[in-house]
Amino acid sequence: MLFQNTYAKLPEAFFEKTSPSPVISPTLIALNEPLAQELNLDPHHLRSPEGLAILAGNKVPPGAQPISTAYSGHQFANFNPMLGDGRAILLGEINGFDLQLKGSGPTPFSRRGDGRSALGPVLREYLVSEAMHQLGIPTTRALAAVSSGELVYREHPEPGGVFTRVASSHLRIGTAQYFAARRDLTNLQILVDYAIQRHYPDAKTPLDLLTSVIQSQAQLIAQWMGVGFIHGVMNTDNMSLSGETIDYGPCAFMDQYNPAQKYSYIDQGGRYAYHNQPTIAQWNLARLAETLLPIIHPDLDQAHQLAITELQKFPDLFEHHRLQIFANKIGLPQLSDWNIIQILLDLMTEDQIDFTLTFHHLTQNADQFLRLFKDPRKANDWLELRKSLGAIDTNTMRHHNSAYIPRNHLIEEAIQSSYQDDHTKFNALHKLLQTPYQTDQNHPPENHLPLPDQIIKNTFCGT
Ligand code: AMP
Ligand code: MG
């Protein structure tokens, strides 16, 4: 493994040197061979006893300089100056991508946590992040899931797991906040230069970085909205500078369309509900802007003005992307007005119709689409309205309306089977989500909806 370790070469304030703690008897549950190959890693080696030892945190691979990174963050709007990787260890970068072990034991940032992860959240992140990637949404990736052979103690004892995450970096808004909170402008500037070099090589100044993050997050959140994804814990430490989806905790894809949908048990107030995601993203970006002010311009008033001008572009950028995404979903890629989309979404809300299935049937079969609604006449009127607006581009629709999403109840079923050492459900679900836009005749998408007693109302961080 050829490690670059650029993060470990940053000033010491950025991280703590930390070795992973070994586990008793690791077993490889999943290995992402295509991703391994993209990284020039040999899947055969990763499956060998030495490879497994590396993926379990039992052996530090030659050339790696393991560290846990420092960051702060606003958690549900409350600032915590000291978070950091409490249960994750960065081995280093390979081909420019971070290789990180999650659940690999305590770090100097663990506070009262054990630095471990239950196997459930490991399998969940594996399924959901890989599904996101195949749906075409920027995300961290899953290289491997390992069961540790040890128990972790949460509400109940649960089997433990170690997850290997690949990311274009693990820089977060919270990383910038860490230095701003300490008035450490030297390291803040070093962080900005590093982020620019890794993610936005055309950017030159801290203001350029802010602009770039605003642009990539506006696109990302619009993409989430287009697949019904609810991140669930959009704290500033869980929002990447690169624009990748990161930190899959209590996240979920919604089944029935409900703009106010939330699943996370700890999000009682619905701060991170589906329809709040763009507002929260902008709030988080404002926190990023604040941290950068002193290095945006020596005159604070001017810095403020410059930053606000950029932040105010977010709503239009987001609306622009969301309109394009939903226009593609209804087959009118040239659409310039949100109105017809809102009419459909209102009908779906009224009848509590499955989000993914609505657009799937709309793409594949108008009769099945109409039958979803209590009053098919209203849906038919909508089809007529759509027809009046232009020719329907079904090819575009097919690339924007997936047949499958990682549904909560299916993930939960897969995890429960894996807890009994039966990984067939996990593997089958993962396989289906590898090609989410292709309908598999053996798995009609309508059979994937939860029955009333299968609906999952709450998801948990599981940490
Ligand atoms: P997250 O829920 O992943 O956003 O985590 C929030 C913070 O809690 C981060 O600083 C994590 O590193 C830390 N954390 C979460 N779970 C654990 C754990 N089991 N042990 C130690 N720290 C943890
Ligand atoms: Mg986090």
Side-chain angles (χ1 to χ4, degrees), residues 71 87 172 237-238 247:
Y71 52 85
R87 52 156 171 178
R172 306 143 190 278
D237 53 305
N238 293 336
D247 279 9

Side-chain angles (χ1 to χ4, degrees), residues 71 75 83-85 87 102 165 172 231 233 235-239 246-249 463:
Y71 52 85
Q75 301 177 301
L83 289 168
D85 291 330
R87 52 156 171 178
K102 218 172 152 183
R165 178 156 73 178
R172 306 143 190 278
H231 183 283
V233 59
N235 294 333
T236 57
D237 53 305
N238 293 336
M239 202 157 164
I246 192 169
D247 279 9
Y248 292 88
T463 54

Side-chain angles (χ1 to χ4, degrees), residues 182-241:
R182 286 158 182 77
R183 310 251 179 280
D184 183 349
L185 300 190
T186 309
N187 280 322
L188 185 62
Q189 183 65 52
I190 291 173
L191 169 69
V192 166
D193 294 340
Y194 182 75
I196 287 176
Q197 183 205 323
R198 277 189 84 165
H199 303 302
Y200 307 104
D202 293 336
K204 292 191 174 58
T205 64
L207 186 66
D208 291 346
L209 175 67
L210 177 65
T211 306
S212 306
V213 179
I214 288 171
Q215 287 169 350
S216 47
Q217 286 292 343
Q219 169 142 27
L220 178 68
I221 309 299
Q223 287 183 283
W224 289 358
M225 303 304 271
V227 294
F229 177 75
I230 305 165
H231 183 283
V233 59
M234 287 174 71
N235 294 333
T236 57
D237 53 305
N238 293 336
M239 202 157 164
S240 71
L241 297 184

Side-chain angles (χ1 to χ4, degrees), residues 310-327:
E310 292 313 302
L311 279 170
Q312 283 173 341
K313 293 179 186 162
F314 180 87
D316 283 348
L317 279 171
F318 167 77
E319 292 299 348
H320 164 82
H321 290 301
R322 186 173 63 150
L323 173 62
Q324 189 59 62
I325 288 166
F326 278 83

